């Protein structure tokens, strides 16, 4: 924050894109009130009426895909192809929600003795979302579309780096037919945010970001007894078991680490490889990482763009250096390049051990941590010893064994077998332990901010 303004900066050119004033307390209050006012009508619309508007938002996202993608790449340095894919995913979330929302949120009849009863999924009111910069469109779409489908009002406090994307999305929603003010964007400081959490008209809080910020926000919401959903960071482990297809594992783990310039909560971050495959994995992985060149994210051929900010880049570099000073082996990369833009090279750390940031913490950028395990059992033990638990992966030719390990033993919210993936509109997305709680997507996400109201009607009493 500089002199009460937000300044967005292009990570490739280090040039200012735009300057926005922070809102005064009164302006922020007006945004909250406008969302609540619009909610009072919106909550009475039928599920089908709401679904029509959600479907129209999906259509509008496809119409404006290129413009939105270019804006995101300018603001946060994403590869342009990843930005386009992100808008497609947002449109797919709208399609899914428009189709399945009315089913998931319909009234449900329930058996009770001596009466008839039903459960209505009533909206709760205005839901406040605090979101990060790594997916400027998707992060804001995934909670807002579910909440709007449920009949709620929605507020967004986006990360400062992608202020333009938040405002673009608000205008797009309104162009598609969402009532004005229902989705309100706040340009506020963290202190002002605490007051929004406490505001009487705000009925729920959903936050995606670091576990440090998540703890603060959940504590603030706890003081005023408001429900939170927390989607936090992780250091997702991908297990390469004795019977893995090694070529597939290397190729997938390279792509899984570098996706979105390595700045995704569910990037594959730690590779836990059994002794049997370890040396071959490190060699093949390092060879592929070494061939990754950094470049302009607007060029379709670029494989690795800049990181979002100087601060994030320097933090990653410090974590790499500390890991090396504590015994990790630097195999590829690890040097800040002498060029404009917040670039960090594709970096491989091997022999990563407890006590090193590359083992314990989240490396939020293009640096891979490779860890040796004695055997399959030890690999799972290492994965589960993390304080995080968002996603993870298993490479094994025995799919039945992998399914059992995923379902019964892997202590995370999502597991990918012989693959890497990010999010699917129909599957619950979220974590356990320090990765947070609550779910986005699927029927689970649609019901996070509803009041499951029990309504019981007495059977006619005999005269
Ligand atoms: P961050 O926690 O610093 O910021 C995220 C958002 O929270 C921003 O809007 C920021 O302004 C806001 N924020 C931070 N402190 C706040 C406070 N005290 N009060 C109010 N708002 C506050 O995270 P970041 O560095 O921008 O994002 C990267 C982190 O997000 C990584 O840890 C990543 O794994 C995580 N992430 C998680 C998911 C998920 O779905 N689990 C998705 C994307 C990113």
């Amino acid at each position: 924050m500089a002199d009460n303004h937000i300044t967005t900066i292009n990570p490739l050119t280090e040039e200012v894109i735009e300057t926005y004033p922070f809102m005064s307390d009164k302006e922020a209050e007006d945004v909250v009130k406008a969302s609540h006012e619009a909610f009072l009508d919106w909550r009475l619309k039928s599920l089908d009426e709401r679904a029509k508007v959600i479907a129209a938002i999906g259509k509008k996202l496809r119409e404006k895909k290129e413009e939105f993608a270019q804006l995101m790449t300018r603001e946060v340095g994403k590869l342009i192809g990843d930005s386009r894919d992100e808008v497609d995913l947002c449109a797919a979330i709208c399609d899914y929600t428009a189709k399945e929302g009315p089913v998931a949120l319909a009234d449900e009849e329930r058996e009770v003795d001596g009466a008839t009863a039903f459960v209505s999924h009533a909206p709760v009111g205005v839901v406040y979302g605090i979101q990060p910069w790594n997916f400027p469109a998707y992060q804001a779409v995934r909670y807002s579309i579910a909440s709007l489908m449920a009949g709620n009002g929605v507020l967004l406090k986006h990360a400062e780096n992608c202020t333009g994307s938040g405002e673009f999305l608000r205008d797009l929603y309104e162009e598609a037919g969402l009532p004005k003010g229902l989705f309100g964007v706040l340009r506020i400081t963290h202190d002002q945010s605490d007051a929004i959490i406490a505001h009487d008209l705000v009925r729920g809080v959903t936050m995606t970001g670091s576990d440090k910020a998540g703890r603060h926000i959940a504590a603030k919401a706890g003081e005023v007894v408001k429900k939170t959903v927390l989607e936090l960071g992780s250091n997702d482990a991908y297990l390469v078991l004795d019977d893995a297809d090694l070529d597939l594992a290397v190729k997938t783990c390279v792509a899984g680490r570098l996706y979105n310039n390595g700045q995704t909560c569910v990037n594959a971050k730690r590779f836990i490889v059994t002794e049997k495959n370890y040396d071959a994995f490190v060699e093949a992985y390092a060879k592929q990482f070494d061939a990754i060149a950094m470049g302009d994210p607007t060029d379709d051929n670029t494989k690795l763009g800049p990181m979002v900010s100087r601060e994030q880049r320097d933090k990653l570099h410090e974590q790499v250096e500390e890991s090396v000073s504590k015994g990790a082996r630097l195999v590829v990369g690890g040097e800040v390049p002498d060029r404009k833009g917040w670039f960090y090279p594709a970096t491989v750390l091997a022999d990563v051990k407890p006590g090193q940031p590359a083992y314990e913490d989240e490396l939020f950028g293009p640096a891979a941590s490779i860890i040796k395990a004695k055997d399959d059992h030890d690999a799972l033990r290492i994965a589960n010893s993390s304080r995080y638990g968002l996603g993870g992966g298993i490479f094994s030719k025995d799919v039945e064994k992998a399914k059992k390990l995923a379902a019964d033993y892997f202590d995370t919210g999502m597991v990918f077998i012989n693959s890497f993936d990010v999010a699917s509109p129909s599957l619950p997305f979220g974590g356990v332990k320090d990765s947070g709680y609550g779910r986005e997507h699927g029927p689970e996400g649609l019901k996070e901010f509803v009041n499951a109201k029990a309504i019981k009607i007495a059977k006619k009493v005999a005269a």
Side-chain angles (χ1 to χ4, degrees), residues 111-346:
E111 293 268 321
V112 281
D113 285 342
T116 53
F118 69 100
V119 176
S120 128
H121 300 107
V124 291
V126 175
V127 174
Y128 174 39
I130 301 171
Q131 300 299 323
W133 44 265
N134 59 344
F135 291 88
Y138 164 75
Q139 290 298 344
V141 162
R142 71 175 185 181
Y143 81 96
S144 65
I145 289 296
S147 269
L148 292 168
M149 182 67 232
N152 297 314
V154 177
L155 301 172
L156 167 66
K157 191 213 85 62
H158 222 327
E160 292 177 17
N161 321 54
C162 57
T163 300
S165 294
E167 309 215 337
F168 186 94
L169 196 65
R170 175 199 57 207
D171 296 347
L172 185 151
Y173 279 12
E174 290 184 2
E175 276 174 49
L178 193 76
K180 205 167 164 38
L182 186 64
F183 176 71
V185 171
L186 295 163
R187 291 191 312 271
I188 52 172
T189 63
H190 293 170
D191 286 344
Q192 286 176 301
S193 170
D194 289 349
I196 298 294
I197 292 171
H199 197 292
D200 282 347
L201 295 178
V202 170
R203 297 289 293 270
V205 181
T206 177
M207 187 268 179
T208 298
S210 59
D211 58 296
K212 180 168 177 254
R215 280 171 217 282
H216 173 86
I217 287 157
K220 285 287 157 195
E223 282 172 16
V224 286
V225 199
K226 289 183 188 173
K227 175 173 173 171
T228 47
V229 166
L230 295 181
E231 297 283 357
L232 308 177
S234 189
N235 53 9
D236 286 1
Y238 277 63
L239 314 185
V240 182
L241 302 184
D242 275 351
D243 64 354
D245 174 335
L246 208 56
D247 287 344
L248 175 73
V250 171
K251 194 172 96 196
T252 311
C253 292
V254 166
R257 177 61 287 213
L258 294 178
Y259 171 68
N260 204 39
N261 296 331
Q263 300 167 121
T264 305
C265 50
V266 284
N267 270 127
K269 294 183 182 127
R270 297 184 307 147
F271 305 100
I272 306 180
V273 187
T274 58
E275 250 166 33
K276 177 172 176 253
N277 292 316
Y278 189 77
D279 291 341
F281 182 91
V282 172
E283 192 187 332
Y285 195 94
K287 197 167 162 212
Q288 293 194 21
F289 250 51
D290 206 22
I292 302 289
M294 298 171 276
D296 180 343
T298 63
D299 180 339
D300 280 312
N301 297 315
T302 299
K303 296 278 182 287
L304 181 61
M307 293 183 62
V308 68
S309 63
R310 181 187 299 278
E311 191 192 12
Q312 291 285 341
R313 194 265 313 271
D314 291 350
K315 180 176 172 199
L316 176 66
H317 186 52
E318 275 169 29
Q319 289 173 310
V320 167
E321 293 214 303
E322 189 184 333
S323 299
V324 172
S325 77
K326 289 184 170 164
R329 178 159 57 97
L330 180 65
V331 190
V332 172
E335 268 183 43
V336 175
D338 182 17
R339 63 186 286 179
K340 195 180 268 308
W342 297 311
F343 286 95
Y344 199 73

Side-chain angles (χ1 to χ4, degrees), residues 1-6 22 160 189:
M1 160 163 140
D3 62 16
N4 232 16
H5 283 76
I6 295 169
F22 276 102
E160 292 177 17
T189 63

